[in-house]
Amino acid sequence: MNKLIIILISLCVSGMSQGVFAQCCAAGNPISDDGSASGGDKKILEAALLGTYSYSDIYFKGNERSDYEYIDYSYFLYSSASFGYGITDKLKVSAEIGYFFSKAQYFVFNQNRNATGLGDLVLGAQYLAYQNCEKLFNIFPRVKMTFPVGTFDKEDGSVILPIDIQPSSGSYKYQVGLLFSKIYMSGKLALFLDNSFEYSQRIETERTNYKYGNLYNNSLYAGYKIIPKLTLALQWRSQYRDKASDKNKELINATGGHVMFIAPQIRYQMWKSWFMFLKYDYPFYKNMNGTQLTNNYALTLRLSRSIDFNSH
């Protein structure tokens, strides 16, 4: 665990085989939201560096563990820089750019594949559509668009790497969502319910013709402020992805499925405007289409700073 934390700190400072697919490490930026709504105040800028380490070595067929062996294990080391800014008291815009320092698959026959490079650019907006100050209840519609600006159709020698480990998703993605927040106990307890839908545009390059399945993401977040600077939180997240389709627009059986995560989190205010966030994602339920390599866990460290331009 100490090695993982060192790796993540370094990241923050630095900034298909045979019909069996890997749900654990789909191309493009991994989900980095913690399940809550942050920022949004007018002229408040939140800048953050994030690092994620993810490890996978378990195959599932349906909702049961499989003894299938092909990829021995897979992992990725990912980092991103993100910004959120309050245009008004109700409207917040955001941007995120990702980079993979390593995205690797190690096979049982002593071969491996590894990719590095720029991921996707994600632009988003969040709006406070409803606010009940007396009951401390808010509703935020959200939209995001993903631009595949990074490395795609990357090759290993003369062989193109599988889409699972391409750093960029290669696809324009469109996400709409609705987030509900409720505050209890004079601000000590916060609950957030987040629901989103993501549609991916078909990839049509010289080497790849592929469409990711639609993604449905739902999460429930509960955060409790132990002391003014320390918040402990727990997130339940459900991810359901439809099957992908190939160049003939036929569904690929061993793609997509349903995974549920439990994610304990710690948020600590180190200084007046500096925050540290640590999250551990554990998939406690999996029901995959066909046989797929699935994720064991992911560990994320995020460092952020808030800058108030109202005083400038």
Side-chain angles (χ1 to χ4, degrees), residues 8-50:
L8 290 172
I9 293 173
S10 300
L11 287 176
C12 287
V13 172
S14 313
M16 267 177 263
S17 45
Q18 298 181 344
V20 178
F21 289 75
Q23 178 79 0
C24 60
C25 48
N29 301 2
I31 293 175
S32 58
D33 293 341
D34 65 358
S36 69
S38 59
D41 292 336
K42 186 177 180 180
K43 293 186 178 181
I44 301 294
L45 172 69
E46 183 182 51
L49 290 174
L50 173 146

Side-chain angles (χ1 to χ4, degrees), residues 12 23 88 90 98 104 124 174 213 228 244:
C12 287
Q23 178 79 0
T88 70
K90 292 187 175 183
Y174 313 93

Side-chain angles (χ1 to χ4, degrees), residues 17 24 28 44 65 70 73 75 77 85 101-102 132 186 202 215 225 233 243:
S17 45
C24 60
I44 301 294
R65 186 166 178 167
Y70 185 71
Y73 67 93
Y75 73 88
L77 290 169
Y85 183 73
F101 289 91
S102 181
N132 188 317
S186 301
R202 177 170 289 276
L215 178 64
K225 189 174 292 187
K243 292 180 180 179

Side-chain angles (χ1 to χ4, degrees), residues 31-40 46 92 126 140 142 144 178-183 190-195 217 219-224 231 233-237 265 267 277 279 302:
I31 293 175
S32 58
D33 293 341
D34 65 358
S36 69
S38 59
E46 183 182 51
K92 172 188 171 183
Q126 173 181 295
F140 304 87
R142 304 202 293 184
K144 287 185 179 181
L178 200 59
L179 186 145
F180 304 85
S181 74
K182 173 68 175 172
I183 306 299
L191 297 180
F192 295 90
L193 177 63
D194 190 11
N195 306 278
N217 188 65
S219 80
L220 179 62
Y221 167 102
Y224 185 78
T231 298
L234 189 65
Q235 180 195 18
W236 166 88
R237 188 171 77 254
Q265 307 173 19
R267 187 173 186 267
F277 164 82
K279 180 175 74 164
R302 183 173 182 264

